[in-house]
């Protein structure tokens, strides 16, 4: 399973959650534990909770973290195991799914002469015990110390049971004696009628999906046997855990994914790379893990939904693992058991074979094509159709039947036979589904056809995301297998409309999508129809009938991106070929069809964006040999006089021109944090901010940025502050970092007297209703820690000005553009909101000391969506500033200054704009190069012939150079004895 996110809450929030949580399990006692390790001083927030989870699941092999909640040294409470599941508290005392204890851990070592049990942590512990006992009408002595159930000192030899029971009794009496109020708290809220989104999210957090299995063990080890000494919260690693080689996943994370992974190389089980798969590993999935999941599903009164997932084809093992890592836990939270085929395509081996062929006497040499676009260099010199054909061959050979002597050949064929046996073990209790992205549709076509021939039940749904399969191959393998009981009961195709397909690009070098590259260059015949292209779907009468494009009732359906809406069963907002498997509306739509859920039904929504997808250079789509790994970095080749030579003196096929250099290992990095919030409470909801954050993330990825995202309920004040601090604290001189925000803005009365106009500007996190606004003073304090020499650029698509008081909230309204769904991104500072803000600020520590950073002292570049006296608008599902700004980025920013950028964005608003974006910063920031390292010149570079450098030249030359060095390496390997 993927690493979960553990939610943090206060004691009042815990009480409210406890009252509203849908318990199906009766609590008969409260079990109290301490961690021993880590101690209180070792606590590092969420990282520590995750490290405990890793230890419990990977070392102890439990299904989840042991405890239901964890109480940290600050008195805050972290959610843990599903509250309706029995804990791993003490052998023989854990209960079951019907009745048993509620277990909590305290961070700290409370043995004598160690951590003190005091302050906010002790108060929270007493309150938690009292609240649970009141909720289930338990006696105070229903509290159990761990040491009363096993020979341990836990929860600490310094703790006195009678004293704690006495404190709990006093707390319960105090609550009983307190005057009861009716409705006063609700009436004082800034938004009395707001849906309690925070509580709903907490209920989800306390209901994290995990198998409801009975755990055998004790939560803590004894001092002499404890294994957490090596726990490293900074890296999030389990004891002794080493980082994985290419995917960035740790060995422990990969281990938790094994019940969901089948790794193939050229169609056969792979015994190399990060995840080796043997037939016995597949046996374990179908004979152990899946039967356990089936038993849990039947106990819950539902079928087991089993989903087969195929990622894209020109993708490395590491990229495939990252896709799986992002998806698996989300599927499991929605009661879907996924199996991911990680299929390595043998791309480098294919290039090596083509190199050998290219060097035959009389053959054209690759040197003839070194100055051509990368598409031609690949497709002609290395015969791209053969590379693409090698990838397709991997899919085809994955379903090779065993040899006459019983030797296993195709790994997918073996899995299909095991799938049939598993389905036959309990007919009707298992429901099959399949998803294939890009070239994964090719693999899926062969797999489904083979499975159906073996007698595997028909797949309930089949979803193709931007399918790269040839139309003739699809028709040969699947056309007659679509329909109830035929192989796939219902087929869904999610793909882009023609204009978006042509607006996509392959890493900035090929100016259309990958499907068009296949269509024009990678198949044996130019303009071979491809299933994911609109013209291919509409141009074939059989496909028109299958998908209902002729107006008839059909067994297939097409969802054309970009859809107007971003929710429901038929939503997709991906604007790139590689983005579908990380586009939340697309993934949620696929899920709704798998679950047979309607648009309004509740699901666990797909989360934020991973650092994959559109804009990845081709050389990152497969795993380079170790000696070439440095070529991956965006700064690997800094072009000052782009050019490519033929074989140089060192024997390299492609030598960089004299003006090219590679920086040292400490070269600059590019990182971004993107925030978008739509799901504000009640009438304050917006509709385009998450889409904006996705658009910025996509545009920045294309420019080489590593991006992280916070959206909707995840974009709390604490999360924004924590992630912005992490972004800044993790950078160094020479780095380029970006903070982007799309959501409401407002202003609040200045409480510390540092504003000339008496107001603090603020952005509105999703929890702003509690007073948790993020004001300019907060941001200034974070920016004050920015290291020298770092370029921080901020893009704000919101408004926060005192003159905006005359405007309404974010509710839809008719604007200058007619009937468009338009909203102003501003929240009126009502008395209720102001009072909540004042009360919230009182509870913050260290609020004084840092004044706003502006003018000449300002070390950041900020682009605002509008002037101080204007409103930032959104319409048609996007912020109007974001639409124009990301469009400028997509057109290329080579040699562009910050001032030129903002001028082009303003120009994009036309002759009579209703908002005017502005550049804010020190006087000289306008002349700085846009998104360049500090001190880097924005002057235009030129080619050797004096021609202005074209957009994408650097990526083009980097890719050609990397490809050439890879070919050279392969040649040397082949020549070696």
């Amino acid at each position: 399973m993927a690493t979960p996110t553990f939610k943090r809450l206060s004691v009042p929030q815990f009480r409210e959650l406890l009252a509203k949580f849908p318990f199906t399990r009766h609590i008969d006692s409260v079990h109290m534990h301490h961690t021993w390790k880590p101690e209180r001083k070792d606590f590092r927030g969420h990282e520590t909770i995750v490290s405990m989870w890793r230890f419990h699941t990977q070392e102890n092999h439990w299904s989840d973290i042991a405890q239901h909640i964890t109480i940290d040294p600050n008195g805050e409470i972290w959610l843990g195991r599903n509250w309706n599941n029995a804990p791993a508290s003490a052998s023989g005392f854990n209960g079951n799914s019907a009745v048993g204890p509620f277990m909590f851990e305290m961070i700290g070592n409370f043995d004598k002469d160690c951590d003190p049990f005091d302050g906010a942590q002790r108060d929270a512990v007493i309150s938690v015990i009292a609240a649970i006992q009141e909720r289930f009408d338990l006696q105070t002595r229903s509290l159990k110390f761990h040491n009363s159930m096993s020979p341990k000192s836990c929860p600490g030899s310094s703790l006195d049971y009678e004293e704690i029971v006495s404190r709990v009794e006093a707390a319960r009496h105090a609550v009983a004696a307190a005057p009861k109020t009716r409705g006063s708290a609700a009436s004082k809220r800034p938004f009395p009628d707001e849906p309690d989104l925070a509580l709903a999210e907490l209920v989800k957090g306390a209901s994290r999906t995990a198998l409801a299995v009975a755990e055998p063990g004790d939560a803590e080890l004894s001092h002499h046997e404890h294994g957490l000494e090596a726990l490293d919260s900074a890296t999030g690693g389990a004891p002794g855990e080493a980082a994985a080689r290419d995917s960035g996943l740790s060995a422990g994370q990969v281990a938790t994914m094994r019940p969901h992974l089948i790794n193939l190389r050229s169609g056969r089980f792979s015994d190399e790379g990060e995840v080796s798969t043997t037939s016995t590993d597949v046996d374990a999935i179908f004979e152990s893990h899946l039967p356990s999941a089936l038993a849990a599903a039947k106990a819950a009164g539902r079928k087991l939904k089993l989903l087969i997932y195929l990622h894209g084809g020109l993708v490395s093992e590491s990229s495939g693992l990252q896709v799986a890592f992002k998806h698996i836990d989300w599927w499991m939270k929605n009661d879907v058991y996924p199996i991911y085929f990680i299929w390595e395509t043998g791309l480098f081996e294919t290039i090596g074979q083509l190199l050998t062929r290219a060097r035959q006497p009389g053959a054209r040499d690759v040197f003839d094509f070194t100055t051509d676009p990368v598409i031609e260099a690949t497709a002609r010199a290395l015969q791209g159709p053969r590379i693409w054909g090698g990838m397709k061959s991997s899919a085809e050979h994955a379903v090779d039947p065993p040899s006459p002597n019983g030797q296993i050949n195709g790994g997918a064929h073996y899995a299909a036979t095991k799938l049939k046996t598993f389905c036959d073990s309990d007919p009707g209790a298992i429901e099959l589904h399949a998803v294939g992205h890009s070239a994964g549709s090719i693999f899926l076509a062969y797999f489904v056809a083979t499975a159906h021939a073996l007698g595997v039940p028909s797949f309930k749904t089949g979803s193709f995301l931007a399918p790269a399969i040839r139309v003739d191959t699809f028709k040969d393998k699947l056309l007659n297998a679509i329909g109830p009981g035929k192989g796939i009961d219902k087929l869904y195709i999610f793909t882009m409309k023609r204009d978006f397909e042509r607006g996509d690009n392959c890493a900035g070098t090929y100016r259309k999508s990958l499907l068009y590259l296949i269509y024009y260059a990678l198949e044996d015949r130019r303009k071979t129809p491809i299933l994911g292209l609109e013209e291919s779907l509409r141009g074939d009468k059989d496909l028109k009938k299958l998908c209902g494009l002729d107006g008839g009732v059909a067994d297939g359906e097409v969802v054309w991106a970009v859809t107007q809406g971003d929710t429901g069963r038929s939503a997709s907002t991906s604007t790139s070929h590689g983005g579908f498997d990380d586009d939340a509306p697309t993934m949620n739509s696929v899920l709704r069809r798998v679950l047979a859920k309607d648009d309004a039904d509740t699901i666990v929504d797909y989360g934020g964006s991973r650092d994959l997808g559109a804009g990845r250079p081709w050389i990152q789509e497969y795993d380079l040999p170790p000696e070439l790994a440095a070529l991956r970095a965006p700064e690997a080749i800094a072009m000052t006089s782009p050019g490519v030579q033929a074989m140089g003196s060192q024997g390299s096929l492609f030598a960089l021109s004299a003006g090219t250099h590679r920086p040292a290992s400490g070269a600059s990095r590019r990182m971004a944090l993107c925030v978008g919030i739509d799901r504000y409470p009640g009438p304050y909801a917006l509709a385009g901010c998450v889409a904006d954050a996705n658009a910025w993330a996509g545009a920045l990825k294309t420019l080489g940025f590593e991006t992280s995202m916070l959206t909707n309920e995840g974009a709390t004040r604490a999360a924004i502050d924590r992630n912005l601090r992490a972004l800044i604290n993790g950078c160094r001189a020479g780095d380029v970092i970006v903070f982007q925000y799309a959501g409401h803005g407002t202003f609040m009365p200045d409480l510390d007297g540092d504003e000339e106009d008496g107001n603090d500007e603020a952005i509105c996190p999703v929890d702003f209703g509690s007073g948790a606004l993020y004001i300019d003073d907060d941001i200034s304090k974070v920016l004050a820690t920015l290291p020298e020499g770092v370029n921080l650029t901020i893009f704000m698509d919101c408004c926060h000005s005192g003159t905006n008081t005359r405007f309404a909230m974010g509710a839809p309204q008719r604007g200058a553009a007619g009937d468009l769904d338009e909203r102003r991104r501003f929240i009126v500072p009502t008395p209720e909101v102001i009072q909540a803000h004042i009360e919230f600020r009182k509870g913050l520590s260290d609020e004084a000391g840092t004044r706003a950073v502006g003018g000449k002292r300002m070390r950041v570049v900020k682009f605002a969506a509008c002037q101080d006296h204007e409103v930032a608008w959104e319409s048609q599902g996007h912020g109007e500033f974001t639409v124009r700004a990301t469009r400028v980025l997509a057109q290329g920013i080579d040699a562009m200054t910050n001032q030129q950028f903002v001028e082009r964005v303003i120009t994009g608003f036309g002759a009579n704009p209703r908002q005017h974006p502005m550049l804010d910063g020190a006087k000289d920031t306008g002349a700085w190069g846009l998104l360049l390292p500090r001190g880097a010149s924005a002057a235009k570079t030129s080619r050797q012939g004096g021609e202005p450098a074209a957009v994408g030249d650097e990526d083009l030359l980097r890719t050609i150079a990397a490809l050439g060095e890879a070919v050279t390496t392969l040649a040397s390997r082949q020549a070696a004895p």
Side-chain angles (χ1 to χ4, degrees), residues 14 228 332 539 576 609 646 741 824:
F14 173 79
L228 286 177
M332 294 290 284
S576 67
S609 179
Y741 171 81
R824 300 176 173 103

Side-chain angles (χ1 to χ4, degrees), residues 63 98 158 267 318 360 625 928:
S63 65
S158 70
S318 60
Q360 298 296 325
W928 294 358

Side-chain angles (χ1 to χ4, degrees), residues 14 25-35 66-71 81 83 85-96 99-107 117 124-126 128-133 136 138-150 154-156 159 161 164-165 168 215-220:
F14 173 79
R25 177 174 172 269
H26 177 71
I27 303 301
D28 63 1
S29 58
V30 183
H31 287 190
M32 182 169 171
H33 296 253
H34 74 149
T35 56
Q67 63 268 27
H68 293 117
I69 61 171
T70 305
I71 303 176
R81 176 177 291 238
W83 286 8
N85 287 354
S89 177
S91 295
F93 295 88
N94 290 325
N96 52 44
V99 62
F102 189 98
M103 172 197 169
F104 70 90
E105 288 255 15
M106 305 178 295
I107 298 291
F117 181 58
V125 167
I126 301 303
V128 163
I129 298 170
I132 297 170
Q133 291 178 344
F136 290 96
L138 304 177
Q139 299 297 316
T140 52
R141 291 185 178 276
S142 63
L143 173 66
K144 303 292 183 184
F145 278 9
H146 190 192
N147 57 34
S148 70
M149 299 175 283
S150 66
C154 178
L159 302 187
Y161 179 82
I164 290 177
V165 167
V168 172
E215 310 290 11
D218 290 303
E220 299 86 18

Side-chain angles (χ1 to χ4, degrees), residues 195-342:
D196 201 341
L197 299 177
L199 179 61
E201 285 302 305
L202 292 176
V203 170
K204 288 182 181 180
S207 307
R208 275 194 314 109
T209 300
L211 296 180
V213 298
E215 310 290 11
D218 290 303
E220 299 86 18
L221 304 174
S222 298
H223 285 209
H224 69 277
E225 62 182 349
H226 212 292
L228 286 177
E229 289 87 346
L231 182 140
D232 183 359
S233 295
T235 61
E241 186 176 282
R245 187 182 64 242
D246 289 309
S247 67
L249 305 177
S250 70
Q253 289 170 332
V254 171
T256 63
M257 296 163 61
R258 278 194 176 276
H260 305 276
L261 298 180
I262 299 176
N263 195 13
L264 306 180
R265 187 174 183 81
S266 299
R268 305 300 189 247
F269 288 131
S270 175
D271 58 0
E272 299 178 354
E274 297 184 44
V275 179
S276 61
T277 295
T278 66
S279 61
T280 57
D281 293 322
V282 178
D283 293 344
I285 292 174
F286 287 97
E287 296 173 5
S288 178
H289 302 300
L290 278 173
S292 295
L294 176 59
K298 293 177 70 173
R302 55 180 172 79
K303 292 184 178 181
L304 172 65
K305 293 182 182 291
L306 173 58
L307 179 135
I308 306 297
Y309 191 100
L310 280 307
H311 61 68
L314 289 179
V315 172
S316 66
E317 177 197 32
S318 60
S319 292
L321 286 172
Q322 291 173 14
V323 173
F325 178 74
K326 181 67 182 289
H327 289 180
I328 287 172
D329 192 52
W330 171 70
W331 288 117
M332 294 290 284
K333 288 178 180 177
N334 284 287
D335 297 323
V336 178
Y337 190 106
I339 294 178
Y340 277 64
F341 280 95
I342 309 299

Side-chain angles (χ1 to χ4, degrees), residues 264 267 341 397-402 408-419 447 450 454:
L264 306 180
F341 280 95
H397 287 301
V399 295
D400 285 348
I408 298 172
N409 288 320
H413 189 284
Y414 183 82
T417 62
K418 302 299 293 187
L419 177 61
F447 180 78
T450 299
L454 290 171

